[in-house]
Coordinates of all heavy atoms in Angstrom, one line a residue:
M34 N 18.2 -3.4 8.1 CA 18.2 -4.8 8.6 C 18.9 -5.7 7.7 O 19.6 -6.6 8.1 CB 16.9 -5.3 9.0 CG 16.3 -4.6 10.2 SD 14.6 -5.2 10.7 CE 15.0 -6.9 11.1
A35 N 18.7 -5.5 6.4 CA 19.3 -6.4 5.4 C 20.8 -6.3 5.3 O 21.5 -7.3 5.2 CB 18.7 -6.1 4.0
A36 N 21.3 -5.0 5.5 CA 22.7 -4.8 5.4 C 23.4 -5.5 6.6 O 24.6 -5.9 6.4 CB 23.0 -3.3 5.4
E37 N 22.8 -5.6 7.7 CA 23.4 -6.2 8.9 C 23.1 -7.7 8.9 O 23.4 -8.4 9.9 CB 22.9 -5.5 10.1 CG 23.4 -4.1 10.2 CD 23.1 -3.5 11.6 OE1 22.5 -4.2 12.4 OE2 23.4 -2.3 11.7
Q38 N 22.4 -8.2 7.9 CA 22.0 -9.6 7.9 C 21.2 -10.0 9.1 O 21.4 -11.1 9.7 CB 23.2 -10.5 7.7 CG 23.9 -10.2 6.4 CD 25.2 -11.0 6.1 OE1 25.7 -11.6 7.1 NE2 25.6 -11.1 4.9
R39 N 20.3 -9.2 9.5 CA 19.4 -9.5 10.7 C 18.4 -10.5 10.3 O 18.0 -10.6 9.1 CB 18.7 -8.2 11.1 CG 19.6 -7.2 11.7 CD 19.8 -7.4 13.2 NE 20.7 -6.4 13.7 CZ 21.0 -6.3 15.0 NH1 20.5 -7.2 15.8 NH2 21.8 -5.4 15.4
R40 N 18.0 -11.3 11.2 CA 16.9 -12.3 11.0 C 15.6 -11.8 11.6 O 15.6 -11.1 12.6 CB 17.4 -13.6 11.6 CG 18.7 -14.2 11.0 CD 19.2 -15.3 11.8 NE 18.3 -16.5 11.8 CZ 18.2 -17.4 10.9 NH1 18.9 -17.3 9.8 NH2 17.4 -18.4 11.1
S41 N 14.6 -12.1 10.9 CA 13.2 -11.7 11.3 C 12.3 -13.0 11.2 O 12.5 -13.8 10.4 CB 12.6 -10.7 10.4 OG 13.4 -9.5 10.5
Q42 N 11.4 -13.0 12.2 CA 10.4 -14.1 12.2 C 9.3 -13.9 11.2 O 8.8 -12.8 11.2 CB 9.9 -14.3 13.6 CG 9.1 -15.6 13.8 CD 8.7 -15.9 15.2 OE1 8.6 -14.9 16.0 NE2 8.6 -17.1 15.6
L43 N 8.9 -14.9 10.5 CA 7.8 -14.8 9.6 C 6.5 -14.6 10.4 O 6.4 -15.1 11.5 CB 7.6 -16.0 8.7 CG 8.7 -16.2 7.7 CD1 8.4 -17.5 6.8 CD2 8.8 -15.0 6.8
A44 N 5.6 -13.9 9.9 CA 4.3 -13.7 10.5 C 3.5 -15.0 10.6 O 3.4 -15.7 9.6 CB 3.5 -12.6 9.8
P45 N 2.9 -15.3 11.7 CA 2.1 -16.5 11.8 C 1.0 -16.6 10.7 O 0.7 -17.6 10.2 CB 1.4 -16.4 13.2 CG 2.3 -15.5 14.0 CD 2.9 -14.5 13.0
E46 N 0.4 -15.4 10.4 CA -0.7 -15.5 9.3 C -0.1 -15.8 8.0 O -0.8 -16.4 7.1 CB -1.5 -14.2 9.3 CG -0.7 -12.9 9.1 CD -0.1 -12.3 10.4 OE1 -0.1 -13.0 11.5 OE2 0.3 -11.2 10.4
L47 N 1.1 -15.4 7.7 CA 1.8 -15.8 6.4 C 2.0 -17.3 6.3 O 1.7 -17.9 5.3 CB 3.1 -15.1 6.3 CG 3.9 -15.5 5.0 CD1 3.2 -15.1 3.7 CD2 5.3 -15.0 5.1
V48 N 2.4 -17.9 7.4 CA 2.6 -19.3 7.5 C 1.4 -20.1 7.1 O 1.3 -21.0 6.3 CB 3.2 -19.8 8.8 CG1 3.3 -21.3 8.9 CG2 4.6 -19.1 9.0
A49 N 0.3 -19.6 7.7 CA -1.0 -20.2 7.5 C -1.4 -20.0 6.0 O -1.9 -20.9 5.3 CB -2.1 -19.6 8.4
G50 N -1.1 -18.8 5.5 CA -1.4 -18.5 4.1 C -0.6 -19.3 3.1 O -1.1 -19.5 1.9
L51 N 0.5 -19.8 3.5 CA 1.4 -20.6 2.7 C 0.9 -22.1 2.7 O 1.4 -22.9 1.9 CB 2.8 -20.6 3.1 CG 3.5 -19.3 2.9 CD1 4.9 -19.3 3.6 CD2 3.7 -19.0 1.4
G52 N -0.2 -22.4 3.5 CA -0.7 -23.7 3.5 C -0.1 -24.6 4.5 O -0.3 -25.8 4.5
V53 N 0.8 -24.1 5.4 CA 1.4 -25.0 6.4 C 0.4 -25.2 7.4 O -0.2 -24.4 8.0 CB 2.6 -24.2 7.0 CG1 3.2 -25.1 8.1 CG2 3.7 -23.9 6.0
Q54 N 0.1 -26.5 7.6 CA -1.0 -26.9 8.6 C -0.4 -27.5 9.8 O -0.3 -28.7 10.0 CB -1.9 -27.9 7.9 CG -2.6 -27.3 6.7 CD -3.6 -28.3 6.0 OE1 -3.7 -29.4 6.4 NE2 -4.2 -27.8 4.9
Q55 N 0.0 -26.6 10.7 CA 0.5 -27.0 12.0 C -0.2 -26.2 13.0 O -0.7 -25.1 12.8 CB 2.0 -26.6 12.1 CG 2.9 -27.5 11.3 CD 4.4 -27.2 11.5 OE1 4.7 -26.0 11.6 NE2 5.2 -28.2 11.6
N56 N -0.4 -26.8 14.2 CA -1.1 -26.1 15.3 C -0.2 -25.0 15.8 O 0.9 -25.2 16.4 CB -1.3 -27.1 16.4 CG -2.1 -26.5 17.6 OD1 -2.3 -25.3 17.6 ND2 -2.5 -27.4 18.5
P57 N -0.6 -23.7 15.6 CA 0.2 -22.6 16.0 C 0.4 -22.5 17.5 O 1.2 -21.8 18.0 CB -0.6 -21.4 15.5 CG -1.9 -21.8 15.2 CD -1.9 -23.3 15.0
A58 N -0.5 -23.2 18.3 CA -0.4 -23.2 19.7 C 0.8 -24.1 20.2 O 1.3 -23.9 21.4 CB -1.7 -23.7 20.4
E59 N 1.3 -25.0 19.4 CA 2.4 -25.8 19.8 C 3.7 -25.0 19.6 O 4.0 -24.3 18.6 CB 2.5 -27.0 18.9 CG 1.4 -28.0 19.1 CD 1.5 -29.2 18.2 OE1 2.5 -29.4 17.6 OE2 0.5 -30.0 18.2
E60 N 4.6 -25.0 20.7 CA 5.8 -24.3 20.6 C 6.7 -24.6 19.4 O 7.4 -23.8 18.8 CB 6.6 -24.5 21.9 CG 7.5 -23.3 22.3 CD 8.1 -23.5 23.7 OE1 7.3 -23.6 24.6 OE2 9.3 -23.4 23.8
A61 N 6.7 -25.9 19.1 CA 7.6 -26.4 18.0 C 7.1 -25.9 16.6 O 7.8 -26.0 15.6 CB 7.7 -27.9 18.0
S62 N 5.9 -25.3 16.6 CA 5.3 -24.9 15.4 C 5.4 -23.4 15.2 O 4.8 -22.8 14.3 CB 3.8 -25.2 15.3 OG 3.6 -26.6 15.3
S63 N 6.3 -22.7 15.9 CA 6.5 -21.3 15.8 C 7.1 -21.0 14.4 O 7.8 -21.8 13.8 CB 7.4 -20.7 16.9 OG 8.7 -21.2 16.7
P64 N 6.7 -19.9 13.8 CA 7.2 -19.5 12.5 C 8.7 -19.4 12.4 O 9.3 -19.0 13.4 CB 6.5 -18.2 12.2 CG 5.3 -18.1 13.1 CD 5.7 -18.9 14.3
P65 N 9.3 -19.7 11.3 CA 10.8 -19.7 11.2 C 11.3 -18.3 11.2 O 10.6 -17.3 10.9 CB 11.0 -20.4 9.9 CG 9.8 -20.2 9.1 CD 8.7 -20.2 10.1
W66 N 12.6 -18.2 11.5 CA 13.3 -16.9 11.4 C 14.2 -17.0 10.1 O 14.9 -18.0 9.9 CB 14.2 -16.8 12.6 CG 13.5 -16.5 13.9 CD1 12.8 -17.4 14.6 CD2 13.4 -15.2 14.6 NE1 12.2 -16.8 15.7 CE2 12.6 -15.5 15.7 CE3 13.9 -14.0 14.3 CZ2 12.3 -14.4 16.6 CZ3 13.6 -13.0 15.2 CH2 12.8 -13.2 16.3
L67 N 14.1 -16.0 9.3 CA 14.8 -15.9 8.1 C 15.7 -14.6 8.0 O 15.3 -13.7 8.7 CB 13.9 -15.9 6.9 CG 12.9 -17.1 6.7 CD1 12.0 -16.8 5.6 CD2 13.7 -18.4 6.6
A68 N 16.7 -14.7 7.2 CA 17.4 -13.4 7.0 C 16.5 -12.4 6.4 O 15.7 -12.8 5.5 CB 18.6 -13.7 6.0
F69 N 16.5 -11.2 6.9 CA 15.6 -10.2 6.4 C 15.8 -9.9 5.0 O 17.0 -9.7 4.5 CB 15.7 -8.9 7.2 CG 14.9 -7.8 6.7 CD1 13.5 -7.8 6.9 CD2 15.4 -6.7 6.0 CE1 12.7 -6.8 6.5 CE2 14.6 -5.7 5.5 CZ 13.2 -5.7 5.7
D70 N 14.8 -9.9 4.2 CA 14.9 -9.7 2.7 C 13.8 -8.7 2.4 O 12.6 -9.0 2.3 CB 14.7 -11.0 1.9 CG 14.7 -10.8 0.4 OD1 14.9 -9.6 0.0 OD2 14.6 -11.8 -0.3
P71 N 14.2 -7.4 2.1 CA 13.1 -6.4 1.8 C 12.4 -6.7 0.5 O 11.3 -6.1 0.3 CB 13.9 -5.1 1.7 CG 15.3 -5.5 1.4 CD 15.5 -6.8 2.1
S72 N 12.9 -7.6 -0.3 CA 12.2 -7.9 -1.6 C 11.2 -9.1 -1.4 O 10.5 -9.4 -2.3 CB 13.2 -8.2 -2.7 OG 13.9 -9.4 -2.4
L73 N 11.2 -9.7 -0.2 CA 10.3 -10.9 0.0 C 8.8 -10.6 -0.2 O 8.1 -11.3 -0.9 CB 10.6 -11.5 1.4 CG 9.9 -12.8 1.6 CD1 10.2 -13.9 0.6 CD2 10.2 -13.3 3.1
P74 N 8.3 -9.4 0.3 CA 6.9 -9.2 0.1 C 6.6 -9.1 -1.4 O 5.5 -9.6 -1.9 CB 6.7 -7.8 0.7 CG 7.7 -7.7 1.8 CD 8.9 -8.4 1.2
Q75 N 7.4 -8.5 -2.2 CA 7.2 -8.4 -3.7 C 7.2 -9.8 -4.3 O 6.3 -10.1 -5.1 CB 8.3 -7.6 -4.3 CG 8.2 -7.4 -5.8 CD 7.0 -6.5 -6.3 OE1 6.6 -5.6 -5.5 NE2 6.4 -6.8 -7.4
K76 N 8.1 -10.6 -3.9 CA 8.2 -12.0 -4.4 C 6.9 -12.8 -4.1 O 6.4 -13.5 -4.9 CB 9.4 -12.7 -3.9 CG 10.7 -12.1 -4.5 CD 11.9 -12.7 -3.8 CE 13.2 -12.1 -4.2 NZ 14.4 -12.6 -3.4
L77 N 6.5 -12.7 -2.8 CA 5.3 -13.5 -2.4 C 4.1 -13.0 -3.0 O 3.2 -13.8 -3.4 CB 5.2 -13.4 -0.8 CG 6.4 -14.1 -0.1 CD1 6.2 -13.9 1.4 CD2 6.4 -15.6 -0.4
A78 N 3.9 -11.6 -3.1 CA 2.8 -11.1 -3.8 C 2.7 -11.5 -5.2 O 1.6 -11.8 -5.7 CB 2.8 -9.6 -3.7
K79 N 3.8 -11.6 -5.9 CA 3.8 -12.0 -7.3 C 3.4 -13.5 -7.4 O 2.8 -13.9 -8.4 CB 5.3 -11.9 -7.8 CG 5.4 -12.2 -9.3 CD 6.8 -12.0 -9.7 CE 7.0 -12.4 -11.2 NZ 8.4 -12.2 -11.7
E80 N 3.6 -14.3 -6.4 CA 3.2 -15.7 -6.4 C 1.7 -15.8 -5.9 O 1.2 -16.9 -5.9 CB 4.1 -16.5 -5.5 CG 5.5 -16.6 -6.0 CD 5.6 -17.3 -7.3 OE1 4.8 -18.3 -7.5 OE2 6.4 -16.9 -8.2
G81 N 1.1 -14.7 -5.6 CA -0.3 -14.8 -5.2 C -0.6 -15.2 -3.8 O -1.7 -15.7 -3.5
I82 N 0.4 -15.1 -2.9 CA 0.2 -15.5 -1.5 C -0.8 -14.6 -0.8 O -0.7 -13.3 -0.9 CB 1.5 -15.5 -0.7 CG1 2.6 -16.4 -1.4 CG2 1.3 -15.9 0.7 CD1 2.2 -17.8 -1.6
P83 N -1.9 -15.1 -0.2 CA -2.9 -14.3 0.3 C -2.4 -13.3 1.4 O -1.6 -13.7 2.3 CB -4.0 -15.3 0.9 CG -3.5 -16.6 0.6 CD -2.1 -16.5 -0.1
G84 N -2.9 -12.1 1.5 CA -2.6 -11.2 2.5 C -1.3 -10.4 2.4 O -1.0 -9.6 3.2
V85 N -0.5 -10.7 1.3 CA 0.8 -10.1 1.1 C 0.6 -9.0 0.1 O 0.1 -9.1 -1.0 CB 1.8 -11.1 0.7 CG1 3.1 -10.4 0.4 CG2 2.0 -12.2 1.7
K86 N 1.1 -7.8 0.5 CA 1.1 -6.6 -0.4 C 2.5 -6.3 -0.8 O 3.4 -6.2 0.1 CB 0.4 -5.4 0.2 CG -1.0 -5.7 0.6 CD -1.7 -4.6 1.3 CE -3.1 -5.0 1.7 NZ -3.6 -4.1 2.8
P87 N 2.8 -6.0 -2.1 CA 4.1 -5.7 -2.5 C 4.7 -4.5 -1.7 O 4.0 -3.5 -1.5 CB 4.0 -5.3 -4.0 CG 2.7 -5.9 -4.4 CD 1.8 -6.0 -3.2
G88 N 5.9 -4.6 -1.3 CA 6.6 -3.5 -0.6 C 6.1 -3.3 0.9 O 6.6 -2.4 1.5
Q89 N 5.3 -4.1 1.4 CA 4.8 -4.0 2.8 C 5.2 -5.2 3.6 O 4.8 -6.3 3.4 CB 3.2 -3.9 2.8 CG 2.7 -3.6 4.2 CD 1.2 -3.4 4.1 OE1 0.6 -3.3 3.1 NE2 0.6 -3.3 5.3
V90 N 6.2 -4.9 4.5 CA 6.7 -6.0 5.3 C 5.8 -6.5 6.4 O 5.9 -7.7 6.8 CB 8.1 -5.6 5.9 CG1 9.1 -5.4 4.9 CG2 8.0 -4.4 6.8
Q91 N 4.8 -5.7 6.8 CA 3.8 -6.2 7.8 C 3.0 -7.2 7.0 O 2.6 -7.0 5.9 CB 2.9 -5.0 8.3 CG 3.6 -4.1 9.2 CD 4.4 -3.0 8.6 OE1 4.6 -3.0 7.4 NE2 5.0 -2.1 9.4
G92 N 2.8 -8.3 7.7 CA 2.0 -9.4 7.1 C 3.0 -10.5 6.6 O 2.6 -11.6 6.3
V93 N 4.2 -10.1 6.4 CA 5.3 -11.1 6.0 C 6.1 -11.4 7.2 O 6.3 -12.6 7.5 CB 6.1 -10.5 4.8 CG1 7.3 -11.5 4.5 CG2 5.3 -10.3 3.6
Y94 N 6.6 -10.4 7.8 CA 7.4 -10.6 9.0 C 6.6 -10.3 10.3 O 5.7 -9.4 10.2 CB 8.6 -9.7 9.0 CG 9.6 -10.0 7.9 CD1 9.7 -9.2 6.8 CD2 10.4 -11.2 8.0 CE1 10.6 -9.6 5.7 CE2 11.2 -11.5 6.9 CZ 11.3 -10.7 5.8 OH 12.2 -11.0 4.8
R95 N 6.9 -10.9 11.4 CA 6.2 -10.7 12.6 C 6.4 -9.2 13.0 O 7.5 -8.7 12.9 CB 6.8 -11.6 13.7 CG 6.1 -11.4 15.1 CD 6.7 -12.3 16.1 NE 6.2 -11.9 17.4 CZ 6.7 -12.3 18.5 NH1 7.7 -13.2 18.5 NH2 6.1 -12.0 19.7
T96 N 5.3 -8.6 13.5 CA 5.4 -7.2 14.0 C 5.3 -7.2 15.5 O 4.7 -8.0 16.2 CB 4.4 -6.3 13.4 OG1 3.1 -6.9 13.6 CG2 4.6 -6.2 11.9
Y97 N 6.0 -6.2 16.1 CA 6.0 -6.0 17.5 C 5.4 -4.7 17.8 O 5.6 -3.7 17.1 CB 7.5 -6.0 18.1 CG 8.2 -7.3 17.8 CD1 8.9 -7.5 16.6 CD2 8.2 -8.3 18.7 CE1 9.6 -8.7 16.4 CE2 8.8 -9.5 18.5 CZ 9.5 -9.7 17.3 OH 10.2 -10.8 17.1
H98 N 4.4 -4.7 18.7 CA 3.7 -3.5 19.0 C 4.1 -2.9 20.4 O 4.3 -3.7 21.3 CB 2.2 -3.8 19.0 CG 1.7 -4.3 17.6 ND1 1.3 -3.4 16.6 CD2 1.7 -5.5 17.1 CE1 1.1 -4.1 15.5 NE2 1.3 -5.4 15.8
G99 N 4.2 -1.7 20.5 CA 4.5 -1.0 21.7 C 4.9 0.4 21.5 O 4.3 1.3 22.0
T100 N 5.9 0.6 20.7 CA 6.4 2.0 20.3 C 5.6 2.6 19.1 O 5.2 3.7 19.2 CB 7.9 2.0 20.0 OG1 8.6 1.4 21.1 CG2 8.4 3.4 19.9
H101 N 5.4 1.7 18.1 CA 4.8 2.2 16.9 C 3.3 1.7 16.8 O 3.1 0.5 17.0 CB 5.6 1.7 15.7 CG 7.0 2.3 15.7 ND1 7.3 3.6 15.3 CD2 8.1 1.7 16.0 CE1 8.6 3.7 15.4 NE2 9.1 2.6 15.8
A102 N 2.4 2.5 16.5 CA 1.0 2.1 16.4 C 0.8 1.0 15.4 O 0.0 0.1 15.7 CB 0.1 3.3 16.1
G103 N 1.4 1.1 14.3 CA 1.2 0.1 13.3 C 2.1 -1.2 13.4 O 2.0 -2.1 12.7
G104 N 3.0 -1.1 14.5 CA 3.9 -2.2 14.7 C 5.2 -2.0 14.0 O 5.3 -1.2 13.0
S105 N 6.2 -2.8 14.4 CA 7.5 -2.7 13.8 C 8.0 -4.1 13.7 O 7.8 -5.0 14.5 CB 8.4 -1.9 14.7 OG 9.8 -1.9 14.2
I106 N 8.8 -4.4 12.6 CA 9.4 -5.7 12.5 C 10.6 -5.9 13.3 O 11.2 -7.0 13.4 CB 9.7 -6.1 11.0 CG1 10.7 -5.1 10.4 CG2 8.4 -6.1 10.2 CD1 11.2 -5.6 9.1
A107 N 11.1 -4.8 14.0 CA 12.2 -4.8 14.9 C 11.8 -4.5 16.3 O 11.1 -3.5 16.5 CB 13.3 -3.9 14.4
R108 N 12.2 -5.3 17.2 CA 11.9 -4.9 18.6 C 12.8 -3.7 19.0 O 13.8 -3.4 18.4 CB 12.3 -6.1 19.5 CG 11.5 -7.4 19.2 CD 12.1 -8.6 20.0 NE 13.4 -8.8 19.5 CZ 14.3 -9.7 20.0 NH1 13.8 -10.5 21.0 NH2 15.5 -9.9 19.6
S109 N 12.4 -3.1 20.1 CA 13.1 -1.9 20.5 C 14.6 -2.2 20.8 O 15.5 -1.5 20.4 CB 12.5 -1.4 21.8 OG 11.2 -0.9 21.6
T110 N 14.9 -3.4 21.4 CA 16.3 -3.7 21.6 C 17.0 -4.0 20.3 O 18.2 -3.6 20.2 CB 16.4 -5.0 22.5 OG1 15.7 -6.1 21.9 CG2 15.9 -4.8 23.9
D111 N 16.4 -4.5 19.3 CA 17.0 -4.7 18.0 C 17.3 -3.4 17.4 O 18.4 -3.2 16.8 CB 16.1 -5.5 17.0 CG 15.8 -6.9 17.5 OD1 16.7 -7.5 18.2 OD2 14.7 -7.4 17.2
R112 N 16.4 -2.4 17.5 CA 16.7 -1.1 16.9 C 17.9 -0.4 17.6 O 18.8 0.2 16.9 CB 15.5 -0.2 17.0 CG 14.3 -0.6 16.1 CD 13.2 0.4 16.0 NE 12.5 0.7 17.2 CZ 11.5 0.0 17.7 NH1 11.1 -1.1 17.0 NH2 10.9 0.3 18.8
V113 N 18.0 -0.5 18.9 CA 19.2 0.0 19.6 C 20.4 -0.7 19.2 O 21.5 0.0 18.9 CB 19.0 -0.1 21.2 CG1 20.3 0.2 21.9 CG2 17.8 0.8 21.6
D114 N 20.4 -2.0 19.0 CA 21.6 -2.7 18.5 C 22.0 -2.3 17.1 O 23.2 -2.1 16.8 CB 21.3 -4.2 18.5 CG 21.3 -4.8 19.9 OD1 21.7 -4.2 20.9 OD2 20.8 -6.0 20.0
M115 N 21.0 -2.1 16.3 CA 21.3 -1.6 14.9 C 21.9 -0.2 14.9 O 22.9 0.0 14.1 CB 20.1 -1.6 14.0 CG 19.6 -3.0 13.7 SD 18.2 -3.1 12.5 CE 16.9 -2.8 13.6
I116 N 21.4 0.7 15.7 CA 21.9 2.0 15.8 C 23.4 2.0 16.3 O 24.3 2.7 15.8 CB 21.0 2.9 16.6 CG1 19.7 3.2 15.9 CG2 21.7 4.3 17.0 CD1 18.6 3.8 16.8
T117 N 23.6 1.2 17.4 CA 24.9 1.1 18.0 C 25.9 0.5 17.0 O 27.0 1.0 16.8 CB 24.9 0.2 19.2 OG1 23.9 0.8 20.1 CG2 26.2 0.1 19.9
A118 N 25.5 -0.5 16.2 CA 26.4 -1.1 15.2 C 26.7 -0.1 14.1 O 27.9 0.0 13.7 CB 25.8 -2.4 14.7
Y119 N 25.7 0.7 13.7 CA 25.9 1.6 12.6 C 26.9 2.7 13.1 O 27.9 3.1 12.4 CB 24.6 2.2 12.2 CG 24.8 3.2 11.1 CD1 25.0 2.8 9.8 CD2 24.7 4.6 11.3 CE1 25.1 3.7 8.7 CE2 24.9 5.5 10.3 CZ 25.1 5.1 9.0 OH 25.2 6.0 8.0
L120 N 26.6 3.3 14.3 CA 27.5 4.4 14.8 C 28.9 3.9 15.1 O 29.9 4.6 14.9 CB 26.9 5.0 16.1 CG 25.6 5.8 15.9 CD1 25.1 6.2 17.2 CD2 25.9 7.0 14.9
G121 N 29.0 2.6 15.5 CA 30.3 2.0 15.7 C 31.2 1.9 14.5 O 32.4 1.8 14.6
K122 N 30.6 2.0 13.3 CA 31.4 2.0 12.1 C 32.2 3.4 11.9 O 33.2 3.4 11.2 CB 30.5 1.8 10.9 CG 29.9 0.5 10.8 CD 29.0 0.4 9.6 CE 28.3 -1.0 9.6 NZ 27.4 -1.1 8.4
F123 N 31.7 4.4 12.6 CA 32.2 5.8 12.4 C 32.9 6.4 13.6 O 33.6 7.3 13.5 CB 31.1 6.7 11.9 CG 30.4 6.2 10.7 CD1 29.1 5.6 10.8 CD2 31.0 6.3 9.4 CE1 28.5 5.1 9.7 CE2 30.3 5.8 8.3 CZ 29.1 5.3 8.4
I124 N 32.5 5.8 14.8 CA 33.0 6.4 16.0 C 33.8 5.3 16.8 O 33.3 4.2 17.0 CB 31.8 6.8 16.9 CG1 31.0 7.9 16.2 CG2 32.3 7.3 18.3 CD1 29.7 8.2 16.9
D125 N 35.0 5.7 17.2 CA 35.8 4.8 18.1 C 35.3 5.0 19.5 O 35.6 6.0 20.2 CB 37.3 5.2 18.0 CG 38.2 4.3 18.8 OD1 37.7 3.6 19.7 OD2 39.4 4.4 18.6
M126 N 34.4 4.1 19.9 CA 33.8 4.2 21.2 C 34.8 4.2 22.4 O 34.6 4.9 23.4 CB 32.7 3.1 21.4 CG 31.5 3.2 20.5 SD 30.7 4.8 20.6 CE 29.9 4.6 22.2
E127 N 35.9 3.4 22.3 CA 36.9 3.4 23.3 C 37.5 4.8 23.5 O 37.7 5.3 24.6 CB 37.9 2.3 23.1 CG 37.4 0.9 23.2 CD 38.4 -0.2 23.0 OE1 39.6 0.2 22.9 OE2 38.0 -1.3 22.8
A128 N 37.8 5.4 22.3 CA 38.4 6.8 22.4 C 37.4 7.8 22.9 O 37.7 8.7 23.7 CB 38.8 7.2 21.0
A129 N 36.1 7.6 22.6 CA 35.1 8.5 23.1 C 34.9 8.4 24.6 O 34.7 9.4 25.3 CB 33.7 8.2 22.3
V130 N 35.0 7.2 25.1 CA 34.9 7.0 26.5 C 36.1 7.6 27.2 O 36.0 8.3 28.2 CB 34.7 5.5 26.9 CG1 34.9 5.2 28.4 CG2 33.4 4.9 26.4
A131 N 37.3 7.3 26.6 CA 38.5 7.8 27.2 C 38.5 9.4 27.2 O 39.1 10.0 28.2 CB 39.7 7.3 26.5
A132 N 37.9 10.0 26.2 CA 37.9 11.4 26.2 C 36.7 12.0 27.0 O 36.6 13.2 27.2 CB 37.7 11.9 24.7
G133 N 35.9 11.2 27.6 CA 34.8 11.6 28.4 C 33.6 12.1 27.6 O 32.7 12.7 28.2
A134 N 33.6 11.8 26.3 CA 32.4 12.2 25.5 C 31.2 11.4 25.7 O 30.1 11.9 25.6 CB 32.8 12.2 24.0
V135 N 31.4 10.1 26.1 CA 30.3 9.2 26.4 C 30.7 8.4 27.7 O 31.9 8.3 28.0 CB 30.0 8.3 25.3 CG1 29.4 9.0 24.1 CG2 31.1 7.4 24.9
E136 N 29.7 7.9 28.3 CA 30.0 7.0 29.5 C 29.8 5.6 29.1 O 28.9 5.2 28.3 CB 29.1 7.4 30.6 CG 29.3 8.7 31.2 CD 28.4 9.0 32.4 OE1 27.9 8.1 33.0 OE2 28.2 10.2 32.7
A137 N 30.6 4.7 29.7 CA 30.5 3.3 29.4 C 29.4 2.7 30.1 O 28.9 3.1 31.1 CB 31.8 2.6 29.7

């Protein structure tokens, strides 16, 4: 996610742990979206932010539950987009469609 400069939403519990006192029920108070930074948990844990464990993105970024029991910081559609973007670096999709290797 970091290589593609994807953005992830901070976990609501992290925002509360940072001392931000906003009503989480208000739509304008939703946690911000930041560029994904895999080193953020380490940095926050070093600062003593409650509930943050070094190297563990759960608790820092919002998790989505459905496919993975423990949750994932990427939605299913995000994962498909990342895979497609990665494969697109190596495969000429227009040529693959023209050759009948894949369908559009």
Side-chain angles (χ1 to χ4, degrees):
M34 288 182 62
E37 293 185 4
Q38 299 177 341
R39 295 272 178 178
R40 297 170 61 84
S41 295
Q42 189 174 27
L43 291 182
E46 56 273 13
L47 173 67
V48 174
L51 291 171
V53 177
Q54 297 181 2
Q55 290 183 319
N56 181 354
E59 292 179 13
E60 204 171 308
S62 295
S63 67
W66 290 75
L67 303 175
F69 176 75
D70 178 1
S72 68
L73 186 58
Q75 179 72 27
K76 293 173 185 175
L77 294 173
K79 185 177 178 181
E80 294 297 320
I82 304 301
V85 177
K86 298 176 183 162
Q89 187 175 352
V90 295
Q91 287 84 357
V93 173
Y94 295 106
R95 178 181 175 193
T96 53
Y97 299 89
H98 300 271
T100 306
H101 300 283
S105 171
I106 61 168
R108 299 172 297 176
S109 296
T110 56
D111 294 331
R112 289 192 297 275
V113 170
D114 288 344
M115 287 186 278
I116 292 167
T117 302
Y119 181 78
L120 292 176
K122 294 177 183 179
F123 306 101
I124 300 171
D125 181 346
M126 291 304 287
E127 291 180 15
V130 169
V135 294
E136 293 183 19

